[in-house]
Amino acid sequence: MKNYNLGEDNLIKIFSVNVIPAVIAMVINGAQPIIDGLFLGKFAGLNAMASVNIAGPFMQIIFAISFIICTGAISLIGRSLGSGNKDKAQSVFRTSCVFMTALSILVTIFGSIFAKNIAIGLKATDLLVQDSSMYIFIISFFAPVMCNMYLTGFTDRVIGKPNQYLYGAIISLCANVLLDYLLIGVANLGVLGGALATGISYFIALVVCSIPLFKKKNDINFYSGKIKFKLMLPVISNGSSEAVVCSSTAISVFLFNSVLLSLAGESGVVAFTIINYISTFGTLAMFGISDGINAIISYNYGANNMKRVKNTFLSALILNFIIGLIVFLIVYFAGDKLITIFSKDPVNDKQVIEMAFHGAKIYSIAFFMIGFNIVSSGFFTAIGGALSSILIAASRGLVWIFVGILVLPKFFGIDGVWWTFPFAEILTIVLTSILFIVFIFKQKKKITHQKSGDKQVIS
């Protein structure tokens, strides 16, 4: 497989070979729980599917650990390689592997011991608590596998092998679909089968993504580097925006489930679950683009090649806007057909389907704005602007979601729940624009300072 040079090869080629696999892989890996939900909805009923959604915040904890370390590590690795410091890049990877494994083992211990308590704490009703706690219990044992799968997959990109992550995702998808059919549809294991299918599929992806890192000739591998825990401070600091994204997702799911339970009971949670599943595909594609440009931007920013940084960022913005438009059109005009796919009995579930379709049409308006905020947050992470990235992530995923979900339903009822998403994205765009104005001003000041310094040297 050919290795690509992030700083010298044609930018269009570099963009496509990094972003396209990243988008497909992100959608596939992020959709694993959704595949479980689809099979559970068809073979075990909508309440089983809702149980997986109740357990969603626990999954987000695992994702948060993964993306804190992964995103921060790849940004630092990319900038280190771009500036020619391969030893530091290798040590960052090696230390991140050890640190990630230790954290994920703690999640396994916590999740396996307190599964039922976690489910109850996440507002699982008596009808849902058994299945929710079962899903949490099984998934917790796969936490180290899931975390290290993302780390190895993301690292494949920065060493010029972006397709390896894609191969792992595709193989794991096929495995998950097959296992879901066998364990849920044939063996009738319900939520237990769905959790096992997802965990095993992530293990297969880990094996595939690890292959390039066993080769000593690659800049980053399992053999070189030193364990230096002091390197984890900049890694965690820079990747902390991803923690905000995942934790805010977990909190928002919890808030929405709580409010919808009070407004519409289990039917409201089911409707939100379906909307969340459908919208997740579009959001994952946007996050895939953001992750795909991370290595390109961090490497070229480290090499002080700002033109390639700018062109990469603008290309990502255009792509995300197109994705947002497509998602909006699909949901608005064909959302009812998509929602029906998740139902075992569309006739008896008619009320839930209508509620979900109405909510999805309102929710989908946010997709005109989501892409700009996601790519902007990823951009600041890639260049080491941790604070700006955190502010964007917290604004769109936590602050305005919290305000919206508390205020809007009081005026608009259940519609206020759905309007919370566009509300949060609109206000975040204002913040993001201000942060970019500040960044551009600092860059111009930096360039002016460098030019004045060059003149002094010449004189």
Side-chain angles (χ1 to χ4, degrees), residues 41 96 106 172 187 208 299 301 306 318 328 358 364 373 388 422 448:
S96 297
L106 291 178
S172 70
V208 175
Y299 186 98
Y301 188 79
M306 295 306 297
I318 294 171
F328 171 79
H358 175 73
S364 64
N373 291 325
S388 295
T448 302

Side-chain angles (χ1 to χ4, degrees), residues 22-315:
V23 170
I24 298 173
M26 180 63 76
V27 170
I28 290 174
N29 284 321
Q32 304 286 28
I34 298 175
I35 295 171
D36 291 345
L38 180 60
F39 276 92
L40 287 168
K42 280 295 183 182
F43 291 104
L46 292 180
N47 284 331
M49 183 181 70
S51 297
V52 175
N53 185 59
I54 290 289
F58 181 77
M59 288 283 286
Q60 291 300 325
I61 292 174
I62 300 174
F63 292 148
I65 293 173
S66 302
F67 292 127
I68 290 172
I69 309 301
C70 289
T71 309
I74 297 311
S75 174
L76 186 54
I77 289 170
R79 283 178 282 137
S80 299
L81 291 175
S83 61
N85 193 342
K86 292 183 180 180
D87 290 339
K88 181 179 179 181
Q90 178 62 65
S91 294
V92 171
F93 173 71
R94 193 177 184 88
T95 307
S96 297
C97 285
V98 174
F99 195 79
M100 176 91 84
T101 301
L103 281 179
S104 57
I105 289 174
L106 291 178
V107 173
T108 297
I109 296 171
F110 179 74
S112 59
I113 295 175
F114 301 106
K116 187 173 182 179
N117 302 81
I118 295 170
I120 294 172
L122 294 174
K123 299 297 184 181
T125 62
D126 293 340
L127 189 63
L128 306 177
V129 67
Q130 183 176 348
D131 282 344
S132 293
S133 59
M134 173 64 73
Y135 197 85
I136 291 169
F137 179 80
I138 298 300
I139 284 296
S140 66
F141 285 96
F142 291 98
V145 170
M146 296 166 69
C147 290
N148 282 292
M149 186 282 295
Y150 282 112
L151 180 59
T152 55
F154 280 33
T155 305
D156 289 337
R157 295 177 191 159
V158 83
I159 62 173
K161 296 182 178 292
N163 287 330
Q164 195 70 28
Y165 185 36
L166 174 60
Y167 298 151
I170 292 174
I171 294 171
S172 70
L173 172 66
C174 295
N176 199 17
V177 171
L178 177 61
L179 289 169
D180 269 333
Y181 174 74
L182 293 175
L183 298 176
I184 299 174
V186 178
N188 198 29
L189 293 179
V191 171
L192 171 61
L196 287 172
T198 292
I200 294 170
S201 67
Y202 269 106
F203 176 77
I204 294 171
L206 171 62
V207 173
V208 175
C209 291
S210 297
I211 293 173
L213 303 174
F214 281 105
K215 298 178 180 179
K216 292 183 178 181
K217 67 178 181 178
N218 288 324
D219 290 337
I220 305 297
N221 56 68
F222 286 124
Y223 308 103
S224 305
K226 299 178 180 179
I227 298 176
K228 300 179 179 180
F229 286 111
K230 65 179 181 181
L231 292 172
M232 294 312 300
L233 182 60
V235 166
I236 293 173
S237 174
N238 203 34
S240 54
S241 63
E242 303 303 317
V244 173
V245 170
C246 294
S247 60
S248 61
T249 300
I251 293 170
S252 64
V253 169
F254 171 77
L255 290 173
F256 279 98
N257 285 336
S258 300
V259 172
L260 287 167
L261 276 171
S262 64
L263 292 175
E266 279 90 356
S267 296
V269 176
V270 171
F272 173 61
T273 301
I274 295 172
I275 294 171
N276 199 31
Y277 280 169
I278 293 173
S279 65
T280 293
F281 284 101
T283 306
L284 286 171
M286 293 178 178
F287 273 112
I289 291 173
S290 178
D291 288 336
I293 65 173
N294 188 311
I296 305 172
I297 289 179
S298 61
Y299 186 98
N300 285 284
Y301 188 79
N304 202 30
N305 194 339
M306 295 306 297
K307 184 177 180 180
R308 287 173 75 91
V309 171
K310 176 184 175 182
N311 291 337
T312 300
F313 174 70
L314 292 177
S315 299

Side-chain angles (χ1 to χ4, degrees), residues 241 244-245 248 370 372-381 385-400 424-425 428-429 431-433 435-436:
S241 63
V244 173
V245 170
S248 61
I370 290 175
F372 177 73
N373 291 325
I374 288 176
V375 169
S376 298
S377 179
F379 170 83
F380 283 114
T381 296
L387 179 59
S388 295
S389 185
I390 291 171
L391 289 173
I392 295 171
S395 175
R396 66 175 295 269
L398 188 59
V399 176
W400 297 119
E425 297 296 341
T428 301
I429 281 180
L431 171 65
T432 304
S433 300
L435 291 173
F436 267 110

